[in-house]
């Protein structure tokens, strides 16, 4: 039979678990237990807990039943509630009123009755009417009565706050929401100033206010402040379905600033939240925000594009029938606006006015603003970083006082509001604060152009390449580019990118007759773009005989250099050192380049080149440019510059129409890259800048290459802000041209520079944008690198959810690639993040998976497996409550025994002590037993741990074992034994160099407690 202790244990566990449907279900079961037991105190306590769980767990409407039960009990038997429970009832009551107002199925009369009961309840307890007026103001807005809302706000401001009021960060949101609905933009911003500047905050602030104030910031002429608020607040709400209404404001904002791609990405990511809306009003807000994004997507010509995700079916607040993922954006837009309008009509019917529908129609018809912040180059899509925000107004007053002469306060003036002749709310513009005052409250930073004292770089002569219709067109355009020296034009990059992202080429064996090797080279270039180096090398080897047949040995040399370049890149991606293979690779490269240079000399000495000779010179020149890149990677500066000089000789011998661009520019940019990457950073950067400044408009390829070089060089010398500026411009070019994977590479560089500059928020946003692009193309190797960077950024930001998500994703890709050791490392990262998120079972499972990846054919693999298993066992018992931990003890013991067997056969070596290892095992076992309340069993394991550590004179670790021993005795009330353990720590760490050690501080605290 369920006991009182069982119920209390369940409540404690639920409290530790956090809010959500799982927690609510556990507490609901506890309510039924309390009813069956007939324990009046527990019947009240469990229903208070259930009301709280529902309200905080995104199921607020379910809270009405347990709240009503408790309210009835209180009205009949107030003595059954202690003071803390009465205070909790005050909070639950105000929430109940808000829930009723947000759902049109609750009649207007019922809402009014609840408001009256709320006032009576608060007055009877001597509470301030501040909360009552605040709730009435909010409910008046839900009833479509904005004049009443303004009056109640005035009364709310005129009453003092008490313990029942929302915190200083949340309380002003009532006025921000009112100003948002009535389009009093400046008032909305002014009211939010304390939150926006960080003067006040709480667990849901500033992100909730930042979301609500996005449109007011934008409409009041503060686009940079709006962008910062979007970035910061979305990052906080993006994993919480309870924040659906905040998400709605973000979608509205993104639609109105023309960021269709990001808007669609967020819509698709969160569409599943629709069936979790906690009220009809939240659902209506979400439908409105999503409709605006779909409207802008349709206007951008994407109406026939499939939405790509299912619209969930739901019927709690409004019958949403759901839509398939294949439904077009245009149809989803039409359906969603229809749902929103019909739901708004339900509010109108309940309210007896059309205010809710009128606001919806104004929102759906609102015109988009001119441009997103930062779009100043005219290139189209651009990367937005945080810039210094515009001035904020002076904070709106948050309290009303009686004038010195006793006159009533001028409420409308203090609210910044007046009514026009028709009774509609109008706005006064509050004064603005000085920029110096606001600078302290904003942490945005500005990126600077290169050497800001210099003239800006020329504009980029960018024309977006024409679309590639199919694989045959891609191959033929590629062939045209291959006819020129320096074929890496913007259109060349675009064609390769299109093949890499759209899988356009026909299967092997079905190539266009006569273009077989061209198709193979293009396929290999696309694979390289996707960082699939092994596949690219294999594809070139497949067509090597064909190109050799066409060009003789020159064709083979060209393929071999391309493949050598891929080998070096593959090692770099895998973080492998080149030291062991550098000399061999340098020998191969110089041999191939020497033979190509000899052929060039033969060809340029020919008095009259035939077409075949010209084609060979073009191929040789491109091969030497590849060779120069290889030599640069191998730090052979002089040889690389020599190869470029031979390219110049070849270029002189072919007609200018066989040059991709001005040869002087192509070769000088190549020289600049060699200089900068081989250590002469200063002269390399000077030359790159000089090339970019030669023309009124610079070609996009030269601009992108130059920006990349300047960015890399700036990173090497620690000039991170400069690197950010250069990589940002490089990314802008690629994004504007629609070259997806090249844009991903640029964004990756930008994200890395932002992280190096400790601008983690911006880094994460940039890298996540890159990851989204990479995932759309299926480029797993690129996605892997981004997941790893994002896991690292998440660690820096303390975002355990991000660490877990990206570490696990990286581990999965690494496993697919057969890179088991690194996969295990990332599984361990994910496990530690799961542990920090209090998911001990998940953490234990991930540590177990990491252990299973260890190569037990080696001693190190056996040791690492045992250590990972021990971490799994520790995680397993690190549960939220002691009873839960005890329930997992037997399984933890089994895992620990498996861990012991994993390293049992590893023999001692100069760098390894089996005694130390078994001591460490005992240390973990002692912790596991302590964590499960088995202190008496843990004592001997502490002694064994001490003995093992001391086998190698590891006093640091040995002191840890003795500290645990002192803790165990102290918790068992064994004062003398605890003090003896403390004395052993002091004796162990008696030398002066141990002063300040954590163990000494710990025993001091134990001794103080025991005195």
């Amino acid at each position: 039979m369920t006991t009182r202790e069982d119920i209390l244990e369940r409540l404690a566990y639920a409290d530790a678990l956090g809010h959500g449907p799982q927690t609510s279900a556990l507490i609901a079961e506890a309510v039924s237990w309390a009813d069956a037991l007939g324990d009046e105190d527990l019947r009240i306590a469990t229903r208070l807990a259930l009301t709280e769980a529902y309200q905080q767990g995104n199921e607020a409407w379910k809270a009405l039943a347990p709240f009503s039960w408790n309210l009835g009990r209180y009205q009949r038997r107030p003595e059954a509630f202690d003071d803390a429970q009465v205070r909790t009832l005050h909070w639950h009551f105000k929430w109940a009123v808000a829930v009723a107002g947000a759902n049109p199925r609750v009649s207007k009369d019922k809402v009014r009755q609840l408001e009256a009961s709320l006032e009576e309840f608060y007055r009877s307890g001597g509470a301030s009417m501040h909360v009552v007026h605040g709730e009435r103001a909010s409910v008046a807005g839900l009833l479509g009565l904005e004049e009443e809302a303004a009056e109640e706000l005035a009364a709310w401001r005129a009453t003092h706050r008490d313990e029942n009021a929302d915190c200083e960060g949340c309380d002003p949101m009532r006025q921000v929401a009112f100003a948002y609905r009535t389009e009093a933009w400046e008032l909305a911003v002014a009211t939010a100033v304390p939150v926006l500047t960080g003067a006040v905050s709480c667990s849901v602030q500033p992100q909730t206010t930042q979301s609500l104030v996005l449109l007011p910031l934008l409409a009041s002429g503060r686009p940079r402040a709006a962008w910062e608020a979007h970035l910061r607040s979305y990052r906080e709400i993006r994993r919480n379905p309870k924040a659906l209404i905040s998400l709605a404001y973000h979608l509205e904002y993104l639609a109105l600033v023309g960021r269709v791609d990001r808007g669609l990405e967020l819509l698709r990511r969160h569409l599943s939240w629709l069936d979790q809306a906690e009220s009809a009003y939240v659902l209506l807000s979400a439908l409105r925000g999503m409709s605006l994004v779909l409207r802008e997507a349709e206007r951008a010509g994407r109406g026939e594009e499939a939405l790509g995700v299912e619209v969930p079916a739901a019927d709690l607040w409004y019958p949403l029938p759901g839509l398939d993922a294949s439904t077009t954006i245009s149809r989803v837009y039409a359906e969603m606006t229809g749902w929103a309008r019909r739901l708004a009509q339900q509010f109108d019917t309940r309210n007896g006015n059309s205010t809710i529908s009128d606001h919806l129609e104004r929102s759906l018809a609102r015109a988009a603003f001119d441009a997103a912040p930062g779009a100043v180059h005219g290139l189209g899509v651009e990367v937005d970083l945080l810039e210094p925000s515009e001035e904020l107004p002076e904070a709106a007053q948050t309290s009303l006082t009686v004038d010195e002469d006793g006159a009533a306060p001028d409420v409308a003036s203090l609210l910044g509001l007046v009514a026009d002749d028709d009774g509609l709310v109008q706005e006064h513009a509050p004064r603005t604060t000085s920029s110096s005052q606001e600078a302290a409250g904003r942490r945005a930073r500005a990126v600077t152009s290169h050497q800001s004292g210099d003239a800006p770089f020329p504009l980029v002569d960018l024309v977006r390449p024409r679309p590639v219709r199919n694989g045959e067109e891609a191959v033929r355009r590629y062939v045209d580019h291959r006819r020129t020296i320096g074929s890496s034009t913007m259109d060349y990059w675009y064609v390769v990118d299109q093949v890499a992202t759209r899988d356009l080429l026909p299967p092997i064996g079905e190539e266009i007759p006569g273009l077989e090797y061209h198709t193979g080279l293009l396929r290999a270039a696309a694979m390289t773009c996707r960082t699939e180096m092994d596949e690219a090398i294999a594809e070139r080897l497949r067509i090597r005989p064909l190109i050799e047949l066409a060009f003789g040995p020159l064709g083979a040399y060209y393929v071999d250099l391309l493949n050598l370049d891929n080998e070096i890149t593959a090692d770099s991606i895998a973080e492998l050192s080149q030291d062991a293979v550098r000399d061999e690779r340098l020998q191969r490269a110089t041999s191939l380049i020497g033979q190509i240079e000899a052929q060039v000399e033969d060809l340029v000495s020919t008095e009259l080149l035939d077409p075949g000779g010209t084609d060979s010179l073009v191929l040789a020149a491109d091969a030497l440019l590849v060779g120069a890149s290889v030599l640069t990677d191998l730090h052979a500066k002089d040889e690389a510059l020599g190869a470029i000089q031979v390219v110049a000789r070849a270029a002189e011998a072919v007609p200018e129409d066989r040059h991709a661009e001005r040869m002087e520019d192509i070769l000088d940019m190549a020289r600049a890259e060699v200089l900068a990457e081989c250590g002469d950073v200063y002269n390399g950067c000077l030359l790159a800048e000089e090339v970019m400044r030669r023309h009124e408009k610079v070609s996009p390829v030269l601009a992108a290459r130059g920006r990349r070089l300047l960015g890399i060089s700036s990173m090497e010398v620690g000039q991170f802000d400069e690197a950010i500026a250069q990589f940002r411009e490089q990314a802008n070019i690629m994004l504007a041209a629609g070259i997806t994977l090249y844009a991903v590479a640029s964004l990756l560089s930008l994200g890395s520079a932002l992280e190096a500059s400790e601008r983690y928020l911006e880094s994460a946003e940039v890298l996540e944008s890159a990851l989204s692009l990479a995932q759309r193309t299926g480029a797993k190797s690129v996605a892997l690198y981004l997941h790893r960077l994002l896991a690292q950024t998440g660690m820096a930001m303390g975002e355990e959810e991000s660490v877990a998500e990206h570490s696990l994703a990286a581990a999965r890709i690494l496993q697919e690639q057969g890179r088991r050791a690194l996969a295990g490392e990332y599984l361990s990262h994910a496990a530690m993040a799961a542990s920090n998120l209090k998911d001990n079972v998940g953490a234990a499972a991930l540590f177990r998976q990491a252990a299973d990846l260890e190569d037990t054919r080696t001693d190190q693999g056996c040791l690492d497996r045992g250590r990972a298993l021990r971490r799994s066992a520790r995680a397993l018992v690190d549960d939220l409550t002691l009873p839960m931990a005890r329930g997992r003890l037997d399984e933890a013991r089994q895992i620990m025994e498996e861990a012991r067997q994993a390293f049992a056969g590893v023999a001692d070596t100069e760098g390894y002590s089996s005694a130390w290892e078994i001591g460490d095992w005992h240390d973990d076992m002692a912790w596991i037993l302590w964590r499960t309340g088995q202190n008496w069993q843990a004592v001997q394991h502490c002694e064994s741990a001490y003995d093992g550590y001391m086998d190698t004179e590891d006093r640091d670790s040995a002191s840890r074992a003795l500290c645990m021993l002192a803790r165990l005795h102290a918790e068992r009330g064994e004062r003398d034994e605890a003090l003896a353990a403390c004395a052993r720590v002091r004796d162990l760490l008696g030398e002066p160099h141990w002063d300040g050690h954590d163990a000494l501080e710990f025993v001091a605290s134990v001794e103080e407690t025991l005195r």
Side-chain angles (χ1 to χ4, degrees), residues 79-325:
E79 72 279 2
F81 291 74
D82 62 30
D83 291 345
Q85 290 174 326
V86 174
R87 286 196 297 272
T88 300
L89 267 184
H90 279 79
W91 279 77
H92 289 176
F93 207 152
K94 68 177 181 178
W95 288 340
V97 174
V99 169
N103 295 294
R105 294 178 189 172
V106 180
S107 69
K108 187 174 181 180
D109 287 344
K110 180 63 175 176
V111 174
R112 292 304 198 189
Q113 289 172 14
L114 281 169
E115 287 181 325
S117 297
L118 176 70
E119 179 176 354
E120 180 183 354
F121 183 73
Y122 269 62
R123 285 192 185 281
S124 67
S128 167
M129 290 295 100
H130 181 81
V131 168
V132 174
H133 290 303
E135 290 301 326
R136 282 178 170 168
S138 297
V139 170
L142 293 165
L143 294 175
L145 304 172
E146 296 298 3
E147 291 181 37
E148 180 181 321
E151 292 170 0
E152 291 292 348
L153 274 176
W156 166 74
R157 301 295 291 268
T159 50
H160 69 272
R161 291 166 42 81
D162 64 4
E163 63 186 5
N164 300 306
D166 290 344
C167 73
E168 291 183 282
C170 293
D171 211 15
M173 282 194 65
R174 303 179 191 279
Q175 182 163 293
V176 180
F178 169 78
Y180 170 88
R181 295 191 308 270
T182 57
E183 300 184 8
W185 308 127
E186 198 71 16
L187 174 64
V189 176
T191 305
V193 163
V195 175
L196 295 179
T197 58
V200 294
S201 64
C202 68
S203 62
V204 297
Q205 301 293 1
Q207 61 266 28
T208 308
T209 294
Q210 286 172 328
S211 301
L212 178 55
V213 83
L214 287 170
L215 178 56
L217 283 170
L218 190 63
S220 64
R222 299 178 175 93
R224 295 193 300 277
W227 178 245
E228 179 173 354
H230 164 66
L231 286 187
R232 295 192 184 282
S233 56
Y234 175 70
R235 192 144 201 95
E236 294 296 322
I237 69 167
R238 61 190 180 139
R239 299 181 190 276
N240 182 11
K242 187 174 173 63
L244 179 58
I245 193 167
S246 293
L247 175 69
Y249 299 130
H250 284 273
L251 293 172
E252 176 184 52
Y253 163 75
L254 292 170
L256 295 178
V257 295
R259 297 188 68 94
V260 176
D261 282 343
R262 184 170 174 85
L264 282 174
E265 181 180 344
L266 267 59
L267 185 152
R268 288 165 171 149
R269 183 182 301 163
H270 299 293
L271 197 56
S272 62
W273 287 6
L274 278 181
D275 63 357
Q276 301 176 64
E278 66 175 342
S279 72
Y281 188 75
V282 169
L283 178 60
L284 175 61
S285 300
L287 292 173
R288 182 188 71 237
M290 291 178 178
S291 293
L292 282 169
V293 170
L294 295 169
R295 180 194 78 178
E296 292 304 305
E298 186 179 62
R299 290 178 177 178
R302 300 176 64 174
E304 295 308 306
E305 178 182 321
L307 185 62
V309 292
E310 290 185 355
V311 179
D315 58 9
L316 180 58
W317 307 117
Y318 180 83
L320 302 180
L323 295 170
D324 292 337

Side-chain angles (χ1 to χ4, degrees), residues 847-848 850-851 854 863-873:
F847 279 129
R848 155 69 74 173
E854 295 296 340
L863 291 173
D864 290 341
R865 175 175 171 78
R867 291 164 183 170
L869 286 170
R870 282 153 49 195
R871 297 176 81 180
S872 177

Side-chain angles (χ1 to χ4, degrees), residues 481-490 492-493 622 625 660 666:
H481 290 301
R482 297 300 310 163
R483 296 184 66 255
T484 61
I485 298 176
S487 57
S488 294
T489 61
M490 186 60 67
Y492 170 87
W493 286 352
D622 274 350
L625 287 173
I666 294 172

Side-chain angles (χ1 to χ4, degrees), residues 646-665:
V646 178
V647 175
R649 285 178 52 75
E652 291 173 356
V654 302
E656 285 193 11
D657 64 357
R658 301 294 294 271
H659 298 176
E661 298 187 33
R662 278 186 70 215
M663 259 349 272
E664 180 185 3
D665 295 339

